[in-house]
Amino acid sequence: MSSLCSSVLLLVLMFTASVMADSTVNFYQDVEFYWGNQNANASDGGKSLTMSLYNSSGCGFQSYNTYLFGRFDMHIMLVPNNSAGTVTTSYLSSQGPYHDEIDFEFLGNVTGQPYICHTNIFANGTGGREQQFYLWFDPTTDYHKFSVVWNSLRIVLMVNEIPIRVFNNNEAIGVPFPNSQPMNIYSSIWDGDSWATEGGRVKIDWADAPFVTSFKNFIVNSCEDSSGLTSCGSSSSNSSITNIEALGAEELDTEILQELAWVEDNYMIYDYCTDYERFPQGFPPECYQPRFMQ
């Protein structure tokens, strides 16, 4: 694996404008619990949150604001011990049947077995672009940072500043890309035992409930679109947004490409672009592009 420090610096330079002010989301003020609010507990002045899953209900929130492009960081500590059947999520999504969505989903497992980090991307209502990874650390003993960087050219998913997935804008070859619909930010914990662990063969043991996931340091570096209007990608004088677009156009550095390859070689366990049974007539068009096309 190549130098982490240099890659982190390059990612920051490429995707995050230094003039942009980070906005820390307050769990008291900036989100609404659309489900299971009785299972949510904010603390530390709204900077930290736990959400619990009981047999009767899970829990979920969404941001009041919507966003178009930016960087979104969430520090998460996942359900410890026997988490089989549980699903914890952190994702962005727009509304409606033709929605866009960028997913992190964490699939629990029995004690001693690894979590699966499940990722997917929807554009114009179409998903089916799953990639799954094991993590190279135990995500239940401490907080770890999970990040989405999203601009009009590509989406980058990162774990502790290490890129694990790049999804490029391939609209030129007919692949839909999320670049026009503002998204809310969501997180949840819910009962996914029909599919989450070994394809649904291992169920939740409710004797171990409640299952608790912890969140903190929820930071958004983006423009807001809470009114349905946006200056993202426009020719406005908002230099922070302009810089997201411009810096996103830079080529991916060799060391970043090496880290992506390191994750794929060592920790990727599923890739829709290699699932011949699922796509017997041929893979989606983007699968035939260079692996980490710049």
Side-chain angles (χ1 to χ4, degrees):
M1 180 179 173
S2 58
S3 169
L4 175 60
C5 292
S6 59
S7 293
V8 169
L9 176 60
L10 286 163
L11 278 166
V12 171
L13 291 174
M14 285 167 48
F15 296 116
T16 306
S18 62
V19 297
M20 294 183 71
D22 289 340
S23 174
T24 301
V25 174
N26 188 293
F27 290 113
Y28 287 133
Q29 302 170 355
D30 301 326
V31 305
E32 61 177 333
F33 292 89
Y34 62 90
W35 169 52
N37 63 304
Q38 71 277 10
N39 296 336
N41 182 28
S43 60
D44 191 23
K47 297 178 182 178
S48 301
L49 174 73
T50 61
M51 293 198 297
S52 301
L53 171 64
Y54 293 84
N55 196 4
S56 56
S57 178
C59 186
F61 72 77
Q62 72 177 65
S63 63
Y64 285 118
N65 288 322
T66 57
Y67 304 93
L68 185 64
F69 306 138
R71 173 170 174 151
F72 309 88
D73 298 321
M74 180 80 80
H75 288 72
I76 304 174
M77 182 164 54
L78 295 171
V79 175
N81 303 319
N82 183 11
S83 59
T86 69
V87 179
T88 297
T89 70
S90 181
Y91 63 101
L92 290 86
S93 182
S94 61
Q95 306 296 318
Y98 301 104
H99 73 291
D100 296 337
E101 186 171 322
I102 305 169
D103 291 342
F104 273 116
E105 294 185 306
F106 305 98
L107 313 184
N109 214 331
V110 295
T111 302
Q113 297 301 308
Y115 262 83
I116 290 175
C117 176
H118 176 99
T119 70
N120 199 1
I121 293 168
F122 288 73
N124 198 30
T126 300
R129 296 177 172 90
E130 299 91 346
Q131 290 183 348
Q132 295 182 339
F133 309 84
Y134 287 138
L135 299 172
W136 50 94
F137 51 83
D138 183 349
T140 71
T141 59
D142 202 354
Y143 289 91
H144 295 271
K145 182 162 67 172
F146 299 90
S147 306
V148 173
V149 176
W150 169 38
N151 57 55
S152 64
L153 296 176
R154 62 176 61 94
I155 295 164
V156 181
L157 303 183
M158 297 189 293
V159 177
N160 289 339
E161 301 291 350
I162 296 176
I164 66 169
R165 179 173 185 175
V166 169
F167 185 80
N168 293 289
N169 185 337
N170 280 303
E171 290 179 304
I173 59 171
V175 179
F177 185 85
N179 63 6
S180 61
Q181 299 187 71
M183 301 197 217
N184 293 88
I185 305 168
Y186 296 82
S187 283
S188 62
I189 182 170
W190 51 282
D191 174 0
D193 75 359
S194 64
W195 69 280
T197 306
E198 296 185 20
R201 288 186 292 273
V202 181
K203 304 298 185 180
I204 290 179
D205 185 349
W206 291 109
D208 293 327
F211 302 96
V212 181
T213 297
S214 303
F215 304 83
K216 70 175 184 178
N217 296 343
F218 179 9
I219 297 174
V220 172
N221 200 327
S222 176
C223 68
E224 297 179 6
D225 189 16
S226 56
S227 65
L229 300 174
T230 179
S231 60
C232 293
S234 73
S235 58
S236 73
S237 60
N238 188 335
S239 60
S240 61
I241 301 308
T242 302
N243 281 341
I244 280 185
E245 292 291 306
L247 294 172
E250 297 292 336
E251 292 184 352
L252 295 178
D253 180 83
T254 299
E255 292 192 14
I256 294 172
L257 297 177
Q258 289 174 346
E259 287 190 340
L260 284 162
W262 174 78
V263 172
E264 178 177 301
D265 291 344
N266 293 281
Y267 297 102
M268 179 182 281
I269 58 173
Y270 177 80
D271 180 9
Y272 73 106
C273 281
T274 62
D275 191 338
Y276 292 94
E277 292 185 6
R278 184 175 170 190
F279 300 104
Q281 304 303 317
F283 298 117
E286 67 271 18
C287 297
Y288 298 99
Q289 299 299 303
R291 191 68 183 140
F292 301 119
M293 186 178 66
Q294 298 181 42

